Structure formats: C-alpha cells, structure tokens
Amino acid sequence: MASEQMVHMSQGQGETSYARNSSFQKAEQNRMKSLIEAVIADLCGSSSTLLHGKVVIADLGCSSGPNALALVSTAINAIHSQCLHLQQPPPEVCVLLNDLPDNDFNTAVKSLVTLRQSKDPVVLTGVIPGSFYERLFTSDSLHLVCASNSLQWLSKAPEDLTRNRIPAFDTDEHVRHERLPIVREAYAHQFREDFTLFLQLRAKELVSGGRMVISLVGTRSNVIASKFFLFPGIVAQILSVMVTEGVIDKEKFDSFYVPVHGPSGEEVREIIEEEGSFSIREMRVHDPTTEMNTALSTPRKFVNNLRALFEPIIVQHFGDIMDEFVRTAELHWSLDPDGSLQEERARTSRAMLVVSLAKVS
C-alpha cells in the first residue's frame, strides 16, 4: 500500500486479535453469500463459455482468522452445487488470497492446506502479499474477485490534509465541527482516487465477463453525518481524552490520520459508472446497527474490537500507549457522561454496501 501506515489487523489468536474479534465482519460476509452464489451460477451455467475447464478466484484483503477463507469457500461450494445440478464435471479451481505483507497469513495458509485436502477439485492455492491498489495478477487471469470489509481502507491518509497539516480530529469540539466538511471532502477525494484505481487494476486482471462481489462499510445516502466516521471517530474521542490528561502530545494527536472513508451508495455507484470498466449487476445497502451494537455491547468487547482494528496504527504513530488507551476506552464506555458514545451507536448514518459487478466486454 502506498501509505507508510501499518494498515493491518491485530495478529495472532489472542483475546485482542482480529481472529477473535471479527464477528461483525463474519455477519457481513454471510450477506454476500447469495450474490456470490448467483455469480457462480452465471459463470458455470450451461451456456457459459468463460471457464474453459478452470476457474481462478481471488479474495482481496482476506485478513486472518476464520473469515479468511469464508468467501472462497462459498464460491467453491456453489461451483460443486451448480455442476452437480447440471450433471457436468466441475472445473479445476485456483484459490488466491491477498492482503498486505504485514498481515498474519499463518492461519490462512494452514486453512488453505485444509481446503486443498477437503475440496475436490481445488488444485492450486496461493497467497499474494501486496496492496490491492497495485497490480497483483497477470492480465485476463481471474474469473471472480471478492473483497469483504476492506475497500473502506484507503491507500494513504488524504494528501490535502497531510500536505497542509490540517488535523483530521481536534480536542476542541467546536473546531472539530467547523473543520469537518473540509476533512470529509479530503477523505472522499482520496477514496475516489483509490477506488477508481482499484477498478482499473481489476479490469486488467479479470477475463472479459469476469465478476466481482465487494462489500464495504459506508454511510447512508440520505444522512449528512455530523461527526466523523464511526470507529475512527470513537478512537479519536479516546485519544482526545488522553491528550487532555497529558498522556500523549497534542502535536502528535494533530498529525494522526486513520486512512478510512465510509462512502455513500451514490458515491460508489457514481465512481463505478464514471470509470466504466464494470456494470453494476446488483447493489444492496443495509443498516448494520444490530451487528455493530453486538460488537460494542460490553466494555471488553468494545475495547477488543477497537484494538483488533486499530492497535497497529495507534502503536506505530504514538508508541506503546495501549495500556493507557485501554484504561481510557473502558472508562469512556462505562461512564460516557455526555452520552456521546451511545449517540454514535444509535446513529443510523452508517451502512453496509454490497455490490455485484461484471466486467464490461
């Protein structure tokens, strides 16, 4: 990834690891299942000439833990079911997992070995480390690309902010509110650049008529958010308290950026249509409040989810402050004197966007 920030989830299998704190992401992967199955029905249909006896599936931003193989497993199961229904031999299947080099691939690789042993005819599996904002595969080599809960992560913090030293957050609520339109516009601009590039790169790598199914955390189109995107906003609130307590430097806080943007469905649709390499087969937008509230339902869950997502970025920027961050976060959740966290949790501006795309021939 172009950014030097350490954008990967917390590693390992411990209590604060992503592997142990990704139930929300799992729920969203389940919502992609029917779209992936529909894509496979098209690719493996009796009239399809795309596969020529083989299918190559890539999961971009696979992360680690039990979710790493969820999407490709859905696709493989759908291939078997479709071929059984049509009474035709299944194609050879190649499964490729991608994430940034610092991702914890250990469990993913072990799962790939198990997949090869248990699924016939998965004949080839592999790991492709690198940013999905760069070329990853040879031209016209992929049939299906999946990406779940990952495209809200940007390639880098918005240059309009970093270059001009404009803080994304501020300890002063009035200043933060006044600056928010500039900050949101900068993040939206960076997302447009990154997502356009992502589409261009995948168009080169997919075969003609190849398919993509992607999901990302976004914002409801009919709501103008009055605060920063949910999880980065909560992290900023906690760090802001640590600034007022003298635990971290305000100057250091002012130079902290989380490279995440939650686009609206209209933003995503507009970029896809302007870029022109893909047609939208289906777009779904749903409210993830129930899953989000479950993830934040107790102080322990709240802190563990924040650490699973953001600890590497926080530690890289501020150093070893996680003990104090945890203390402040638990206090923030338990007391929440002005109801700000409860208000954030109750807000319905956030949305999950799931999109099925076909490469234009």
Side-chain angles (χ1 to χ4, degrees), residues 102-117:
D102 285 325
N103 180 58
D104 183 2
F105 283 109
N106 290 331
T107 55
V109 169
K110 291 177 182 177
S111 298
L112 280 175
V113 173
T114 302
L115 183 73
R116 289 188 62 181
Q117 294 171 344

Side-chain angles (χ1 to χ4, degrees), residues 200-222:
Q200 292 170 344
L201 296 172
R202 303 296 81 81
K204 293 177 181 178
E205 296 165 347
L206 280 159
V207 299
S208 179
R211 303 293 293 272
M212 283 205 298
V213 180
I214 61 175
S215 75
L216 64 161
V217 184
T219 305
R220 280 182 54 183
S221 303
N222 62 340

Side-chain angles (χ1 to χ4, degrees), residues 23-24 230-231 234 289-306 309 333 341-342 344-345 350:
S23 59
F24 167 75
L230 178 67
F231 277 123
I234 292 174
T289 299
T290 300
E291 294 91 343
M292 200 77 80
N293 285 346
T294 300
L296 304 178
S297 60
T298 68
R300 183 175 293 275
K301 286 184 178 181
F302 169 63
V303 172
N304 286 349
N305 272 274
L306 289 183
L309 292 171
W333 191 97
L341 177 58
Q342 300 301 323
E344 282 292 324
R345 289 175 59 192
R350 56 191 177 273

Side-chain angles (χ1 to χ4, degrees), residues 76-87:
I76 292 168
N77 290 335
I79 290 171
H80 280 267
S81 296
Q82 183 70 9
C83 292
L84 187 63
H85 173 71
L86 296 174
Q87 296 184 323

